[in-house]
Amino acid sequence: MLNSDCTGMPGELKDCSVFIYDVREASQTFSKGNFGYPMSGGALELDLVEAAFLVQLNRLEVFHKKRKMEFTDLFDYASGIVEDFDIKYIVFKDLRERGFIVKPESGAFDLRVYPRGMLPSKSAPLYMVCAVSERSALNINNFLEEIAQSKDRGKQLLYGVVDEEGDLTYYKMAMLDPTGTLDPGARVGPTVGKLVTDRIFVFDSEGGERLRNEAFYGKYMQGVLQLSLIEGCYLIGTGELKVIDRNGRTIGEKELIEFGRKNQDEFDLRLKAYIDLRNRGLVVKTGFKYGTHFRVYEKSPDECHARYLVHAVPASIVTMWPDISRTVRLSGGVKKQILFCRISKELQYLEFKWFRP
């Protein structure tokens, strides 16, 4: 319980650690709360974030050069020598108060978290946690490395994001391999479509019905099937569509792609993601009304809701956490999973999910 009136045990601050030399007190601190690291001879070494937490609980009194340090003194000291100490402390404190055993971590992660009711000596960590400020940037390459490292250890990756008022939001991170039920090798063409402005219209009712009913391309408008440029480029590539201009001239795949680049933003990124998703047997539709590139179905849109919202991003994108937060909150509100498709030699799908530990 916070703000207890009890008197804490004495600890001595040295550089980046606090040491409890009384063997009995050290043993109790470690055995009852799994704080710190036992040393030879029976003393206990505490990380600064653990020491600050115990001081706030009034379970520890820290002395530096024989002077007692209040919580504010220790917090100020630690903030001066540990980068983002305030952020790490807020996340550590929150997880501890949720009943988890939490240990400071080095390297790519800030904390490791053990299952409730389990001791570190008898269990493996459940989560590897990165504690970050909402004002920090998220580099997608660093994120991939952190996912890989946590996966190699058999752990889940969490980000604890602290806003400017000290409130905390957790995001669970993972890589997914989405697949659908459509046969990506099935072909329904060929048919002819006409380029009008930046859409392609299939006036042949039989050809339009094949594209729509058998593979769920496009959308009908007064009996005419309209296709997006992205769909048109894909269907030219599979041999299911021939595109002509208003003069009847055939437009090849390369020419249509170049037209798309000139007339639509992020066309190459979206096209690569679209092709990959279609080749995975998924049905892909525009995600404009959700603020993403695509909404994606595992089977017929007539039989189910879209499971995923997919946004294509460059391989080395750096983004800010408020952007991630807006996108994740939106996807949660419409009960869909948000995936960021990282466009590289091999496309990768990254899931950001709001999470309560």
Side-chain angles (χ1 to χ4, degrees):
M1 179 177 178
L2 294 178
N3 299 323
S4 168
D5 293 327
C6 66
T7 301
M9 70 198 82
E12 184 176 342
L13 173 63
K14 292 183 178 179
D15 298 324
C16 294
S17 301
V18 172
F19 297 89
I20 299 175
Y21 291 110
D22 184 288
V23 175
R24 179 174 174 274
E25 298 284 14
S27 177
Q28 286 186 350
T29 301
F30 180 74
S31 61
K32 289 185 177 181
N34 278 277
F35 292 99
Y37 302 90
M39 302 171 62
S40 60
L44 187 71
E45 181 180 3
L46 297 168
D47 185 275
L48 287 177
V49 72
E50 295 177 299
F53 182 68
L54 289 171
V55 169
Q56 188 172 8
L57 291 173
N58 288 328
R59 290 177 54 187
L60 176 69
E61 292 183 337
V62 174
F63 293 86
H64 184 225
K65 297 179 180 180
K66 298 183 179 181
R67 183 180 70 85
K68 180 181 175 180
M69 303 182 76
E70 301 297 335
F71 172 78
T72 52
D73 300 324
L74 182 59
F75 190 91
D76 184 56
Y77 172 88
S79 298
I81 62 173
V82 178
E83 185 177 4
D84 295 327
F85 177 82
D86 57 328
I87 303 298
K88 295 180 177 65
Y89 180 77
I90 289 171
V91 178
F92 177 91
K93 177 177 178 290
D94 180 78
L95 289 167
R96 268 286 183 173
E97 290 177 347
R98 290 175 183 268
F100 292 101
I101 299 298
V102 187
K103 305 299 290 184
E105 182 65 33
S106 59
F109 309 104
D110 297 305
L111 305 168
R112 61 182 187 274
V113 181
Y114 294 84
R116 288 187 179 91
M118 301 296 292
L119 300 177
S121 60
K122 297 182 179 180
S123 67
L126 180 60
Y127 306 116
M128 303 304 293
V129 180
C130 295
V132 298
S133 165
E134 68 157 313
R135 299 303 178 194
S136 63
L138 174 65
N139 185 307
I140 206 76
N141 289 326
N142 294 342
F143 168 69
L144 286 169
E145 292 175 6
E146 289 156 4
I147 287 182
Q149 289 185 41
S150 59
K151 186 176 181 180
D152 288 343
R153 299 188 192 185
K155 316 297 183 291
Q156 299 179 63
L157 174 62
L158 291 185
Y159 271 81
V161 184
V162 181
D163 69 20
E164 60 187 15
E165 294 182 351
D167 290 330
L168 180 57
T169 304
Y170 292 98
Y171 295 95
K172 184 185 287 187
M173 311 305 197
M175 293 185 65
L176 295 189
D177 187 25
T179 57
T181 61
L182 272 67
D183 179 3
R187 298 291 178 253
V188 299
T191 191
V192 177
K194 180 177 288 187
L195 178 63
V196 180
T197 314
D198 64 349
R199 291 177 177 82
I200 297 165
F201 291 87
V202 178
F203 295 100
D204 173 34
S205 59
E206 183 179 342
E209 286 178 2
R210 289 200 306 268
L211 289 173
R212 176 62 183 84
N213 297 339
E214 296 181 33
F216 313 106
Y217 294 105
K219 183 177 181 179
Y220 272 111
M221 181 186 70
Q222 300 297 315
V224 177
L225 185 71
Q226 60 174 337
L227 303 168
S228 69
L229 285 179
I230 292 287
E231 290 176 309
C233 289
Y234 178 76
L235 288 168
I236 289 179
T238 62
E240 297 169 88
L241 182 69
K242 175 184 177 181
V243 176
I244 60 175
D245 63 16
R246 298 187 65 84
N247 298 318
R249 183 181 64 86
T250 299
I251 301 174
E253 182 181 7
K254 291 183 178 179
E255 184 180 353
L256 190 62
I257 291 174
E258 186 60 32
F259 178 83
R261 288 171 180 159
K262 291 180 179 178
N263 289 276
Q264 295 183 2
D265 293 336
E266 301 175 312
F267 189 81
D268 283 323
L269 289 175
R270 293 189 293 116
L271 179 59
K272 289 177 182 179
Y274 182 92
I275 292 172
D276 187 70
L277 290 164
R278 270 286 180 176
N279 289 342
R280 290 169 174 267
L282 293 155
V283 179
V284 188
K285 297 293 184 180
T286 178
F288 173 77
K289 64 183 178 181
Y290 298 108
T292 59
H293 287 146
F294 303 114
R295 66 186 194 277
V296 178
Y297 301 78
E298 293 179 300
K299 54 183 180 180
S300 166
D302 300 329
E303 299 175 5
C304 67
H305 294 290
R307 178 171 180 178
Y308 304 110
L309 298 178
V310 176
H311 203 76
V313 297
S316 300
I317 187 173
V318 176
T319 188
M320 304 301 292
W321 279 102
D323 297 328
I324 297 294
S325 178
R326 281 191 294 271
T327 306
V328 173
R329 290 288 182 177
L330 173 61
S331 65
V334 295
K335 298 182 180 179
K336 305 184 191 308
Q337 292 174 255
I338 178 67
L339 303 182
F340 289 85
C341 177
R342 178 179 179 267
I343 306 298
S344 187
K345 291 182 179 179
E346 179 182 354
L347 275 64
Q348 297 165 304
Y349 294 89
L350 318 175
E351 181 185 28
F352 289 71
K353 186 177 181 180
W354 179 82
F355 183 69
R356 185 185 298 278

PDB file of all heavy atoms in Angstrom, residues 116-129:
ATOM      1  N   ARG A 116       1.631 -13.619 -13.099  1.00  0.00           N
ATOM      2  CA  ARG A 116       1.151 -13.384 -11.739  1.00  0.00           C
ATOM      3  C   ARG A 116       1.219 -14.676 -10.925  1.00  0.00           C
ATOM      4  O   ARG A 116       0.836 -15.748 -11.390  1.00  0.00           O
ATOM      5  CB  ARG A 116      -0.291 -12.881 -11.757  1.00  0.00           C
ATOM      6  CG  ARG A 116      -0.452 -11.455 -12.244  1.00  0.00           C
ATOM      7  CD  ARG A 116      -1.894 -11.004 -12.063  1.00  0.00           C
ATOM      8  NE  ARG A 116      -2.104  -9.632 -12.504  1.00  0.00           N
ATOM      9  CZ  ARG A 116      -2.474  -9.281 -13.727  1.00  0.00           C
ATOM     10  NH1 ARG A 116      -2.651 -10.233 -14.655  1.00  0.00           N
ATOM     11  NH2 ARG A 116      -2.665  -8.019 -14.052  1.00  0.00           N
ATOM     12  N   GLY A 117       1.707 -14.535  -9.701  1.00  0.00           N
ATOM     13  CA  GLY A 117       1.775 -15.676  -8.795  1.00  0.00           C
ATOM     14  C   GLY A 117       2.948 -16.599  -9.031  1.00  0.00           C
ATOM     15  O   GLY A 117       3.097 -17.599  -8.322  1.00  0.00           O
ATOM     16  N   MET A 118       3.807 -16.288  -9.998  1.00  0.00           N
ATOM     17  CA  MET A 118       4.941 -17.145 -10.319  1.00  0.00           C
ATOM     18  C   MET A 118       6.247 -16.452  -9.959  1.00  0.00           C
ATOM     19  O   MET A 118       6.404 -15.249 -10.147  1.00  0.00           O
ATOM     20  CB  MET A 118       4.946 -17.488 -11.806  1.00  0.00           C
ATOM     21  CG  MET A 118       3.694 -18.202 -12.275  1.00  0.00           C
ATOM     22  SD  MET A 118       3.464 -19.826 -11.507  1.00  0.00           S
ATOM     23  CE  MET A 118       4.845 -20.715 -12.234  1.00  0.00           C
ATOM     24  N   LEU A 119       7.181 -17.220  -9.427  1.00  0.00           N
ATOM     25  CA  LEU A 119       8.481 -16.687  -9.060  1.00  0.00           C
ATOM     26  C   LEU A 119       9.442 -16.795 -10.241  1.00  0.00           C
ATOM     27  O   LEU A 119       9.383 -17.763 -11.010  1.00  0.00           O
ATOM     28  CB  LEU A 119       9.048 -17.458  -7.864  1.00  0.00           C
ATOM     29  CG  LEU A 119       8.214 -17.419  -6.581  1.00  0.00           C
ATOM     30  CD1 LEU A 119       8.866 -18.296  -5.519  1.00  0.00           C
ATOM     31  CD2 LEU A 119       8.070 -15.988  -6.083  1.00  0.00           C
ATOM     32  N   PRO A 120      10.345 -15.827 -10.380  1.00  0.00           N
ATOM     33  CA  PRO A 120      11.315 -15.893 -11.471  1.00  0.00           C
ATOM     34  C   PRO A 120      12.152 -17.166 -11.444  1.00  0.00           C
ATOM     35  O   PRO A 120      12.586 -17.648 -12.493  1.00  0.00           O
ATOM     36  CB  PRO A 120      12.179 -14.650 -11.240  1.00  0.00           C
ATOM     37  CG  PRO A 120      11.271 -13.690 -10.545  1.00  0.00           C
ATOM     38  CD  PRO A 120      10.428 -14.551  -9.647  1.00  0.00           C
ATOM     39  N   SER A 121      12.388 -17.709 -10.250  1.00  0.00           N
ATOM     40  CA  SER A 121      13.193 -18.925 -10.142  1.00  0.00           C
ATOM     41  C   SER A 121      12.453 -20.155 -10.643  1.00  0.00           C
ATOM     42  O   SER A 121      13.061 -21.200 -10.892  1.00  0.00           O
ATOM     43  CB  SER A 121      13.621 -19.141  -8.688  1.00  0.00           C
ATOM     44  OG  SER A 121      12.480 -19.262  -7.853  1.00  0.00           O
ATOM     45  N   LYS A 122      11.125 -20.047 -10.774  1.00  0.00           N
ATOM     46  CA  LYS A 122      10.328 -21.212 -11.149  1.00  0.00           C
ATOM     47  C   LYS A 122       9.516 -20.998 -12.428  1.00  0.00           C
ATOM     48  O   LYS A 122       8.673 -21.825 -12.776  1.00  0.00           O
ATOM     49  CB  LYS A 122       9.386 -21.590 -10.005  1.00  0.00           C
ATOM     50  CG  LYS A 122      10.106 -22.009  -8.731  1.00  0.00           C
ATOM     51  CD  LYS A 122       9.113 -22.428  -7.653  1.00  0.00           C
ATOM     52  CE  LYS A 122       9.843 -22.871  -6.388  1.00  0.00           C
ATOM     53  NZ  LYS A 122       8.889 -23.274  -5.324  1.00  0.00           N
ATOM     54  N   SER A 123       9.749 -19.890 -13.136  1.00  0.00           N
ATOM     55  CA  SER A 123       9.002 -19.630 -14.355  1.00  0.00           C
ATOM     56  C   SER A 123       9.825 -18.765 -15.301  1.00  0.00           C
ATOM     57  O   SER A 123      10.779 -18.102 -14.886  1.00  0.00           O
ATOM     58  CB  SER A 123       7.671 -18.935 -14.042  1.00  0.00           C
ATOM     59  OG  SER A 123       7.898 -17.635 -13.532  1.00  0.00           O
ATOM     60  N   ALA A 124       9.417 -18.770 -16.550  1.00  0.00           N
ATOM     61  CA  ALA A 124      10.048 -17.911 -17.555  1.00  0.00           C
ATOM     62  C   ALA A 124       9.258 -16.614 -17.661  1.00  0.00           C
ATOM     63  O   ALA A 124       8.067 -16.572 -17.339  1.00  0.00           O
ATOM     64  CB  ALA A 124      10.074 -18.617 -18.907  1.00  0.00           C
ATOM     65  N   PRO A 125       9.890 -15.533 -18.104  1.00  0.00           N
ATOM     66  CA  PRO A 125       9.141 -14.284 -18.295  1.00  0.00           C
ATOM     67  C   PRO A 125       7.993 -14.465 -19.285  1.00  0.00           C
ATOM     68  O   PRO A 125       8.098 -15.238 -20.228  1.00  0.00           O
ATOM     69  CB  PRO A 125      10.195 -13.312 -18.845  1.00  0.00           C
ATOM     70  CG  PRO A 125      11.502 -13.884 -18.407  1.00  0.00           C
ATOM     71  CD  PRO A 125      11.325 -15.366 -18.417  1.00  0.00           C
ATOM     72  N   LEU A 126       6.915 -13.747 -19.034  1.00  0.00           N
ATOM     73  CA  LEU A 126       5.761 -13.765 -19.933  1.00  0.00           C
ATOM     74  C   LEU A 126       5.887 -12.689 -21.003  1.00  0.00           C
ATOM     75  O   LEU A 126       5.549 -12.910 -22.163  1.00  0.00           O
ATOM     76  CB  LEU A 126       4.480 -13.551 -19.119  1.00  0.00           C
ATOM     77  CG  LEU A 126       3.149 -13.543 -19.869  1.00  0.00           C
ATOM     78  CD1 LEU A 126       2.921 -14.872 -20.581  1.00  0.00           C
ATOM     79  CD2 LEU A 126       2.003 -13.243 -18.894  1.00  0.00           C
ATOM     80  N   TYR A 127       6.366 -11.504 -20.588  1.00  0.00           N
ATOM     81  CA  TYR A 127       6.483 -10.374 -21.505  1.00  0.00           C
ATOM     82  C   TYR A 127       7.887  -9.776 -21.442  1.00  0.00           C
ATOM     83  O   TYR A 127       8.513  -9.734 -20.379  1.00  0.00           O
ATOM     84  CB  TYR A 127       5.495  -9.256 -21.140  1.00  0.00           C
ATOM     85  CG  TYR A 127       4.053  -9.663 -21.038  1.00  0.00           C
ATOM     86  CD1 TYR A 127       3.374  -9.576 -19.822  1.00  0.00           C
ATOM     87  CD2 TYR A 127       3.355 -10.134 -22.150  1.00  0.00           C
ATOM     88  CE1 TYR A 127       2.046  -9.944 -19.711  1.00  0.00           C
ATOM     89  CE2 TYR A 127       2.032 -10.507 -22.051  1.00  0.00           C
ATOM     90  CZ  TYR A 127       1.377 -10.409 -20.824  1.00  0.00           C
ATOM     91  OH  TYR A 127       0.065 -10.781 -20.722  1.00  0.00           O
ATOM     92  N   MET A 128       8.339  -9.283 -22.596  1.00  0.00           N
ATOM     93  CA  MET A 128       9.473  -8.382 -22.646  1.00  0.00           C
ATOM     94  C   MET A 128       8.889  -7.011 -22.963  1.00  0.00           C
ATOM     95  O   MET A 128       8.082  -6.869 -23.895  1.00  0.00           O
ATOM     96  CB  MET A 128      10.475  -8.803 -23.706  1.00  0.00           C
ATOM     97  CG  MET A 128      11.004 -10.233 -23.543  1.00  0.00           C
ATOM     98  SD  MET A 128      11.765 -10.556 -21.918  1.00  0.00           S
ATOM     99  CE  MET A 128      13.210  -9.492 -22.025  1.00  0.00           C
ATOM    100  N   VAL A 129       9.280  -5.997 -22.185  1.00  0.00           N
ATOM    101  CA  VAL A 129       8.609  -4.700 -22.251  1.00  0.00           C
ATOM    102  C   VAL A 129       9.585  -3.597 -22.643  1.00  0.00           C
ATOM    103  O   VAL A 129      10.689  -3.505 -22.097  1.00  0.00           O
ATOM    104  CB  VAL A 129       7.955  -4.349 -20.898  1.00  0.00           C
ATOM    105  CG1 VAL A 129       7.256  -2.989 -20.977  1.00  0.00           C
ATOM    106  CG2 VAL A 129       6.959  -5.430 -20.484  1.00  0.00           C
TER     107      VAL A 129
END
